[in-house]
Amino acid sequence: MAKQTHRIGILGSGNIFGRYVAGLAAHFPELEIVRVGDIDTARAKQAAADHAIPAWGDAAELYADESVDIVVNLTPPVHHARTVIEALAAGKHVYVEKPLATTVEEGRSVLAAADRSGRLLGSAPDTFLGSASQTARKALDAGRIGAPVGASAFIGHSKAETWHPDPRFLFQPGGGPVMDMGPYYFAILVNLLGPVRSVAASSRIGAPTRTVTAPERAVDSIEVTVPTHAGAVLTFGSGVIGTTQMSFDVWDTDLPFMEVYGTEGTLSLGNPNHFDGDVRIRRHGETEWTVLEPAVGLFGAVGTREQARRGLGVRDLADAVEGGPHRANASFAFHVLEALCAVDKASEEGRAVELESTCDRPQPRFSV
């Protein structure tokens, strides 16, 4: 059955813009990009020209464009709450890059705005919709490793200073390894294990000044104002205990990305920033790891630049507009945000933080 056409306006034409354009064009041509908006209208004009997008302008013009029914918000995190609320008030469905907002209070304001608007709000990260997380979810739900007991997740340095032309936002409020990379990991953990009940953590700033060596860089150095190394223990409502290390100070490591430990075996996942990759299982008593067959189709060829594409979450939102399940939904994203914010709060206050929110485990994409 042919998919319904939706007209997309993208707000923000920065570093990740091309990944969405490529992902939507390659996988979802029915999601037609018709306008790009940016505070820098010259950049919006150039982005439109580069990608054959028919209209461009500022944010207000995007909101006023009656042909746009879904806004994909790619603005920097500090602007997410304000711009999401504006787009919802303009009558648009909205899909926003991660995180949903930079604080729990902002996140609550965004949820309230979505309720008032009657429009749907979705949020990255959407990599939990990919084949790797879905394959692990299927194995867990089928009892392949018995009852889950624990999990571990390790975030190493993305080395953004070496490739991003202006990585300042990664070392300022709203950034750091917890808020930048943490959403990918926490979203997959919640998809696999259910909502988080409490968070205990400790964090610190590692190197206080960062030298930027990226080509065509906008700055030569950055003064760090947020923690860049954190360790946290997540207690899930199910009783599973997750241990996490999130760091922009660990440049090289042999640690796994993510593992889940059950009463009968272990699951090992690849990079949560990617949609696809091998999911390995090793049951107690077995001498070798086994690679599981993907539970859903791949979003891109593993080990290629296709893995950097984005857009699966936008299709998820469009499916929900058409009456289907909404997996990367606002309540799920808010719960992930609250868990992330609890890492800093727990570290600052020296106590375990009980979360106020909860969420449903997203409906799986594979047939049960």
Side-chain angles (χ1 to χ4, degrees):
M1 178 184 243
K3 289 285 189 179
Q4 179 179 330
T5 296
H6 295 273
R7 292 166 69 87
I8 309 296
I10 299 183
L11 180 61
S13 54
N15 187 61
I16 202 171
F17 173 81
R19 300 184 189 186
Y20 274 85
V21 174
L24 294 178
H27 296 276
F28 312 116
E30 72 280 2
L31 303 181
E32 181 185 0
I33 303 171
V34 298
R35 178 177 283 275
V36 54
D38 199 294
I39 191 172
D40 183 343
T41 54
R43 185 166 69 174
K45 181 179 181 179
Q46 186 62 57
D50 290 344
H51 298 281
I53 298 170
W56 55 273
D58 61 18
E61 291 171 299
L62 190 156
Y63 302 149
D65 189 336
E66 295 183 358
S67 72
V68 171
D69 59 304
I70 295 175
V71 169
V72 175
N73 187 335
L74 308 183
T75 61
V78 293
H79 301 302
H80 282 181
R82 173 181 59 81
T83 51
V84 166
I85 291 170
E86 290 172 351
L88 290 167
K92 313 299 185 185
H93 302 292
V94 179
Y95 181 83
V96 62
E97 247 303 325
K98 55 83 185 169
L100 180 69
T102 58
T103 68
V104 172
E105 292 73 22
E106 284 185 347
R108 290 196 179 101
S109 296
V110 169
L111 292 187
D115 287 342
R116 290 193 304 269
S117 72
R119 295 295 185 264
L120 292 181
L121 172 62
S123 176
D126 56 353
T127 51
F128 78 89
L129 300 173
S131 69
S133 183
Q134 293 295 309
T135 300
R137 168 75 179 266
K138 186 174 184 179
L140 278 173
D141 289 358
R144 296 286 299 276
I145 63 167
V149 174
S152 63
F154 299 97
I155 298 173
H157 202 319
S158 61
K159 303 180 183 178
E161 301 101 305
T162 67
W163 58 266
H164 198 296
D166 190 359
R168 284 176 291 185
F169 72 99
L170 294 173
F171 301 95
Q172 297 170 349
V178 175
M179 296 300 285
D180 179 52
M181 294 300 296
Y184 299 107
Y185 288 69
F186 279 37
I188 287 179
L189 287 171
V190 173
N191 175 59
L192 295 179
L193 303 170
V196 178
R197 186 172 70 232
S198 67
V199 177
S202 186
S203 62
R204 57 163 290 181
I205 291 175
T209 303
R210 302 292 175 123
T211 300
V212 181
T213 59
E216 301 180 7
R217 57 188 174 274
V219 294
D220 292 321
S221 65
I222 302 169
E223 297 301 318
V224 179
T225 58
V226 294
T228 54
H229 187 91
V233 175
L234 314 181
T235 302
F236 291 83
S238 62
V240 175
I241 297 172
T243 56
T244 65
Q245 177 177 283
M246 297 164 277
S247 183
F248 283 170
D249 295 288
V250 175
W251 283 70
D252 301 289
T253 176
D254 287 326
L255 292 167
F257 286 102
M258 183 180 292
E259 292 181 337
V260 181
Y261 313 108
T263 54
E264 297 176 18
T266 297
L267 281 173
S268 180
L269 288 74
N271 190 343
N273 192 20
H274 295 166
F275 291 98
D276 309 300
D278 286 347
V279 176
R280 300 181 302 147
I281 187 172
R282 186 168 174 178
R283 292 173 54 82
H284 296 341
E286 294 179 344
T287 58
E288 302 289 341
W289 292 89
T290 299
V291 176
L292 297 176
E293 287 293 322
V296 297
L298 304 187
F299 192 67
V302 177
T304 74
R305 290 182 62 83
E306 291 179 3
Q307 285 291 289
R309 292 174 178 170
R310 292 291 187 257
L312 194 53
V314 184
R315 182 62 258 178
D316 177 67
L317 174 64
D319 285 341
V321 171
E322 297 170 22
H326 194 190
R327 299 174 175 90
N329 60 59
S331 64
F332 178 86
F334 178 78
H335 182 69
V336 169
L337 172 66
E338 187 185 8
L340 293 165
C341 291
V343 173
D344 280 346
K345 185 175 182 180
S347 179
E348 291 169 0
E349 298 181 3
R351 65 179 181 89
V353 173
E354 298 286 328
L355 271 62
E356 296 182 11
S357 70
T358 188
C359 68
D360 295 327
R361 287 175 85 203
Q363 182 175 322
R365 292 183 62 220
F366 53 85
S367 298
V368 177

